[in-house]
Amino acid sequence: MPVNRGHLLTLLWAGSAYALFPDCVNGPLKNNTLCNTSASPAERARALVSLYTLEEKINATGSTAPGVPRLGIPPYEWWSEGLHGIAGPFTNFSDEGDYSYSTSFPQPILMGAAFDDELITAVATVISTEARAFNNANRTGLDFWTPNINPFRDPRWGRGQETPGEDPYHLSSYVHALIKGLQGDASDPYKRVVATCKHFAGYDVESWNGNLRYQFDAQISQQDLVEYYLPPFQSCARDSNVGAFMCSYNSVNGVPTCADPYLLQTILREHWGWTNEEQWVTSDCDAVQNIFLPHQWSSSREQAAADALIAGTDVNCGTYMPDHLPSAFAQGLVNETVLDQALVRQYSSLVRLGYFDAPENQPYRQLGFESVATNASQQLAYKAAVEGIVLLKNDGVLPLSLDSSTSLGLFGDWANATSDLLGNYAGISTYLHSPLWAAQQLNVTVNYAQGPGGQGDPTTGSWLSIWPAADASDVIIYVGGINNGVEAEGMDRGSIAWTGAQLDVIGQLAQQGKPMVVVQMGGGQIDSSPIANNPNISALLWGGYPGQDGGVAILDIITGKAAPAGRLPTTQYPASFINEVPMTDMSLRPGRSNPGRTYKWYNGTAVFEFGTGLHYTNFTASIKSNTSSSYAISDLMTICKDSNAKYPDLCSFGAPVQVEVTNTGKTTSDYVTLAYLAGNFGPAPHPKKSLVSYQRLFAINGGSSDTANLNLTLGSLARVDEKGNKVLYPGDYSLLIDNKPLTMLNFTLTGDQVILENWPQPPTNRTGKGVSGFEGYFVGGYGSDQKPVSIGY
Amino acid sequence: MPVNRGHLLTLLWAGSAYALFPDCVNGPLKNNTLCNTSASPAERARALVSLYTLEEKINATGSTAPGVPRLGIPPYEWWSEGLHGIAGPFTNFSDEGDYSYSTSFPQPILMGAAFDDELITAVATVISTEARAFNNANRTGLDFWTPNINPFRDPRWGRGQETPGEDPYHLSSYVHALIKGLQGDASDPYKRVVATCKHFAGYDVESWNGNLRYQFDAQISQQDLVEYYLPPFQSCARDSNVGAFMCSYNSVNGVPTCADPYLLQTILREHWGWTNEEQWVTSDCDAVQNIFLPHQWSSSREQAAADALIAGTDVNCGTYMPDHLPSAFAQGLVNETVLDQALVRQYSSLVRLGYFDAPENQPYRQLGFESVATNASQQLAYKAAVEGIVLLKNDGVLPLSLDSSTSLGLFGDWANATSDLLGNYAGISTYLHSPLWAAQQLNVTVNYAQGPGGQGDPTTGSWLSIWPAADASDVIIYVGGINNGVEAEGMDRGSIAWTGAQLDVIGQLAQQGKPMVVVQMGGGQIDSSPIANNPNISALLWGGYPGQDGGVAILDIITGKAAPAGRLPTTQYPASFINEVPMTDMSLRPGRSNPGRTYKWYNGTAVFEFGTGLHYTNFTASIKSNTSSSYAISDLMTICKDSNAKYPDLCSFGAPVQVEVTNTGKTTSDYVTLAYLAGNFGPAPHPKKSLVSYQRLFAINGGSSDTANLNLTLGSLARVDEKGNKVLYPGDYSLLIDNKPLTMLNFTLTGDQVILENWPQPPTNRTGKGVSGFEGYFVGGYGSDQKPVSIGY
């Protein structure tokens, strides 16, 4: 057994108290370059690291860093969470009074449905503001392990709720807006907080049929990797200057991502130019341990710690690096240069956060609890919920006309929801306004009965109080679906159908023949065709996890105080979809044992398509731009080159397309302009269409118009070939406005195809050293060993 | 919506208080035949039921029966649990003092490993005694929904822990002993309590890859049904006079079992002669609702309630029958004769429990808390744990020699187990003695550190305190494995491997080179080959869920205060087994996509076979009986017929086989004599072997012998054909003693084959009426639609 196993850390691990800031005025390092604000962050970090002993350096590789007391460097906890508000195991809420609550926004899946990037920046700005206030009170850190920006590939994924949806363009745009709000502008001398794009890469299986995230090897073709799995991460690294990345639990094509230099060095740092010293990679929690077991990539514990560090993992969430690097150094498995590099990255990042600088000159260091849960923040949480909620069916009964004589029946397990409103990774919110609470604020009679349940035994006993309450009601609202009991971290779904118990109760309620509204809750979609097809059910909404004011948002839409304009950010597949493809089949295109995934490739009939969303009015659209019907590719490339663009895929494709949207009805309403590209350009198979731009227009009055300006780039037009190169092909293109579509624009590209981006190819012969005695031990379940036909590497 | 939906029940549902007994001395029915103890139970029951209105009758069909106040019939709760001690939602433990605890025995899976039928009868006698004491205090009912006697077919099953194992003969013998202890002798004028054999039939999937128990349709061939799934139920119904059956959530070959007259009438009542009026069938909780949704067998809710009642379901756990039978009667879907029959069965059963009779003459009505958790009961709980624990590996380090200078390291998440000791369906036990507690009673130094965890994030942080504790220890004991967090009701396992986290910690502990013992806990087996194959790990034990004194039992075996003699009641498959067959494939024989199941048919190499169990000594065996080497089948049948046997399969095959067992070592030890039959008689494929008898011998001293008397029957020799008939075939037979085997007996049967039991064939064209709008909606997951090659019905 190796010695020096960092027993020091034992003392720190359990603690949630936060260290004070280092003291560059009176501390031991006041004259060190570290404290010289004129020096660059990297110079300052190098000056500090050069003072560390090897043991002190190694101790700094864990997420709960002990600091170096002799140098006045306090302990630091790298792990904070801020998915939709500050949260997580290391955020310390007070029991009462100041710092006992914060603002809790909807889950990203519902905020994604808003298709409103400015909203996302505003929300993220609130989160980073509240984070700074809590940090100043020594109640959380400065590094937030958010966003989860893996595309929501399979409806079974338990953590799909944490993402904005299934479309890579949408995610790329969303995450750019989010990072801006979390980190602030690049020109700001200090970052607001550091955001962390996770989980890099190919992570979207928790626990499906024996495939645990800790051991799952995602087999992904080079084409799918570049076309689908990586665009949001490219947006983070190349285009949004995100401060941190997190490598994931899974392997990609055989290599655990935290030990994969192809992902962490070749793609992330070299190809995407993510080479600023202040940028670092953390492992997911204990993903370094998992490199040894269950992945069996490295032949020993020491080798796993070394492999991760060498590949470019700079922080180990957990203790495996501090525990096993001493022995790895003793065995010569790793050298101090690579360790220094990791530490310089860590401390450069802290410098950019103002960690070492005097608080007087830092606005963020002045923030206190008066900046937390402000009226404006609460209103923003409400607005985010309203903007995301999607109307899927309406026979005209919505919005409901209520008066004081109305008797409103409210049923379903979400009707009186509390923490369910928030979903996972939630902090303590200011309040939790359920649909029942919201209904009770109206001047109507409310009849509520608990139930129907459906997870426990028996359930029918809890149904009996529903019937007299329904008998007494004029209108029936059922709020149900799924929650974190069936979709969660570590838990993928085994069914995407409504439970029989819920459908039984819904069906009995519908038999009353009264106006009836169903609100489908939860992040992953469930097949609502039995509700859509039931003529006795008047309306159907999807409400996701709507956050602290979610019940009010739902009731305001139902009663017409607000108008719905959200769009589904994922495909609602039929229940039978999960019978047609194993969750572990990562391929997007349809194949022998795969009906295809997402609205681009699914060859079945969706219950509700990606982008679906009704309104309380009707809209028309027309394209106002003067555009050409034909473009020479060579001309497009010349213009692009003349613009000195670093990345040709970001070059504009002409001027923004102006789309005039007219509200032809009476109800004032937002409208989300979705622009898809379709056409038979490039090699078959072709996607049905691809989202290339979107813009939300606000509060268009009946009879009025507004104009969306949609930016298209050469990248919008490009497709990805089998090697992962982005290619501009000649051919016929159609720009479709909205799902129906409301209008369209056709044009042609002529001339020879051009590669916009050459993708770096993976090395060959990448095999782990293995751990003897475990051959075939950590296996997934039956029917999960299907591989896509061609694998890039 | 139907009227009269039993709103009365609403008041009762939530209650856990128990009714008083009816008063046949001064009550309104004192002169009714119900109160005439000279009349038969059925006559008494009929007299009562004839007084009921239709509404009163319908109200009596739910498990929480409201009674009939005008007749002095109090409410009655049919649902009590007693899996390994009194338990369940409707058993009301006091907060302190009397009735605040009871005796909690090991889970059946560990008691099954004892292979000691007398132990099982003794345990069940304690449970029924304690049940009566609690019932007299108005704290539980008289009807116990135990045993779960479905064979443990697939290692993933979350409720396999509730069963005695995988072998149908073993289960049949065990359940006979259990029912004797729960119900008492048939000659007793009053039953102790009523036992309920569940779940009839083919129920052994909770939630596997989208296949939920509420909607799963088990496709079972007629041969497998009779040979594997039904023998324990035949033992219950035909041979043990059990008072109740429970029909299950699943369908069998398309028909929900609670609506299946072939199972409930043709097989259970007619073929097995279970026609005593005091015998009744309850549905599993809300299994009647499930007939409508998700099974979609019946076309309406009313039809589902009617179908269940007509098929022979007499009690509906839940409220679907009381809720929907009024409308079913109004629609003419069911008549009062079948409802009367159900109620006569219910009340006849209560008569046999003495429910209506004066308490003075009933010994069971005199029992109080002095009969609960007696010293003898506590000792029995300890003895049951010791008898079940199985020694799987021992390099000679066990039993450990400890003295006051020994420093003992205790690790693993089970080391300080509390409620984990009990498993599911547990009441409140007298105490919970963990392995740590037991070690601390020894005169040694104990070094304990929590961990390693492995479900939460991160885990390595909790490992750091393990290493210094291990450094300080002379001997290391690791107690871990699985618990109800991964195997539970409603939750099948996705992996049958040890977690990577546990194997990492075990491996690091083993590197110390000290004597090290691993105790594998949990009901389902996990592949322990990495432990078995690690030369640095000295010993391996399996401890199941050992009950309130389980920690003491484990430590007593490790330290040699007790000697291990338990045998594995299930096969320990390699981890890859779950990749080779979907859990939903119900076939036992190997096939194209199935390596076969149980020790009889599995064609791979088990890690540890069914019946494995080492001792602290060695045994030899020899057969002492004078047996013939050849038997004419016609002679056997003549002898059988002359004995007036009602069931030829129960006819003895000659005199008991006497097996003399000799302890050739020094340590006094129990020995379980396992007798298997093998041979190529009957059609291929042939099982490797089949358990036909067992007997546990007690405390055989070193150098001494004892004799097992093994009863064989014609049924022991029979095989089941594809139609389900039991057939005696000519051919060569071998009786093998023990797994190795230690000795064997060969004989031949000559002449023509004879059918011992003609199995009733299912009706043809059995299809449900269906529910429109749900075609293909409730689907299982990918890779789970494989069907066995031939289906009987």
Side-chain angles (χ1 to χ4, degrees), chain A residues 111-112 115-121 124 147 149 164 167-181 230-236 239-240 650 673-674 691-696 709-711 713 716:
Chain A
M111 295 200 287
F115 286 91
D116 179 1
D117 288 351
E118 289 174 19
L119 171 78
I120 303 310
T121 301
I149 205 66
D167 180 74
Y169 169 78
H170 177 210
L171 269 65
S172 300
S173 185
Y174 178 108
V175 80
H176 184 73
L178 184 90
I179 292 167
K180 185 176 170 189
L230 294 190
F233 293 100
Q234 174 168 304
S235 175
C236 290
D239 305 328
S240 309
L650 297 182
T673 318
L674 298 174
L691 188 72
V692 291
S693 192
Y694 59 85
Q695 186 183 345
R696 188 177 181 114
N709 291 287
L710 304 175
N711 292 305
T713 62
S716 306

Side-chain angles (χ1 to χ4, degrees), chain B residues 356-635:
Chain B
F356 298 97
D357 295 356
E360 302 81 55
N361 303 327
Q362 300 187 54
Y364 306 139
R365 291 286 290 277
Q366 312 308 319
L367 295 170
F369 192 68
E370 74 287 342
S371 304
V372 176
T374 63
N375 283 342
S377 303
Q378 315 290 323
Q379 277 307 305
L380 188 64
Y382 165 80
K383 176 176 148 77
V386 167
E387 284 197 17
I389 292 167
V390 179
L391 180 64
L392 294 170
K393 174 186 181 180
N394 186 14
D395 67 5
V397 79
L398 292 189
L400 288 179
S401 294
L402 305 181
D403 60 40
S404 61
S405 70
T406 305
S407 186
L408 196 64
L410 209 60
F411 308 105
D413 291 311
W414 269 84
N416 196 20
T418 54
S419 59
D420 274 346
L421 293 167
L422 305 183
N424 68 357
Y425 283 98
I428 299 174
S429 61
T430 311
Y431 43 69
L432 291 167
H433 287 160
S434 70
L436 176 60
W437 184 91
Q440 288 167 337
Q441 311 314 305
L442 306 172
N443 183 26
V444 298
T445 301
V446 178
N447 308 302
Y448 165 70
Q450 205 175 350
Q455 305 301 319
D457 304 321
T459 57
T460 58
S462 66
W463 301 1
L464 299 178
S465 55
I466 293 175
W467 317 130
D471 287 343
S473 301
D474 306 317
V475 180
I476 290 170
I477 300 176
Y478 182 96
V479 194
I482 57 174
N483 64 12
N484 275 227
V486 296
E487 58 169 355
E489 183 161 4
M491 187 195 295
D492 297 315
R493 283 192 289 165
S495 165
I496 57 171
W498 287 77
T499 62
Q502 289 196 83
L503 287 177
D504 194 347
V505 169
I506 290 170
Q508 289 193 68
L509 289 170
Q511 281 182 355
Q512 296 222 340
K514 296 172 179 174
M516 178 166 167
V517 181
V518 173
V519 190
Q520 172 201 322
M521 304 300 292
Q525 291 295 314
I526 39 182
D527 177 352
S528 284
S529 55
I531 295 160
N533 297 334
N534 188 325
N536 282 334
I537 299 176
S538 313
L540 173 65
L541 294 150
W542 173 68
Y545 294 95
Q548 62 179 35
D549 228 357
V552 177
I554 289 167
L555 265 289
D556 280 358
I557 285 178
I558 287 175
T559 59
K561 188 173 167 191
R567 302 298 188 102
L568 281 189
T570 52
T571 302
Q572 184 176 113
Y573 296 95
S576 59
F577 175 80
I578 62 166
N579 246 357
E580 296 171 22
V581 57
M583 190 177 177
T584 45
D585 182 340
M586 305 295 285
S587 56
L588 276 293
R589 288 160 173 74
R592 254 189 318 123
S593 65
N594 188 338
R597 297 175 175 284
T598 81
Y599 71 93
K600 295 187 185 186
W601 297 107
Y602 177 53
N603 63 17
T605 304
V607 179
F608 290 107
E609 292 186 344
F610 172 92
T612 298
L614 303 174
H615 304 90
Y616 288 161
T617 183
N618 290 305
F619 290 99
T620 59
S622 61
I623 293 172
K624 293 297 173 187
S625 308
N626 284 321
T627 54
S628 172
S629 63
S630 181
Y631 300 85
I633 289 175
S634 56
D635 290 348

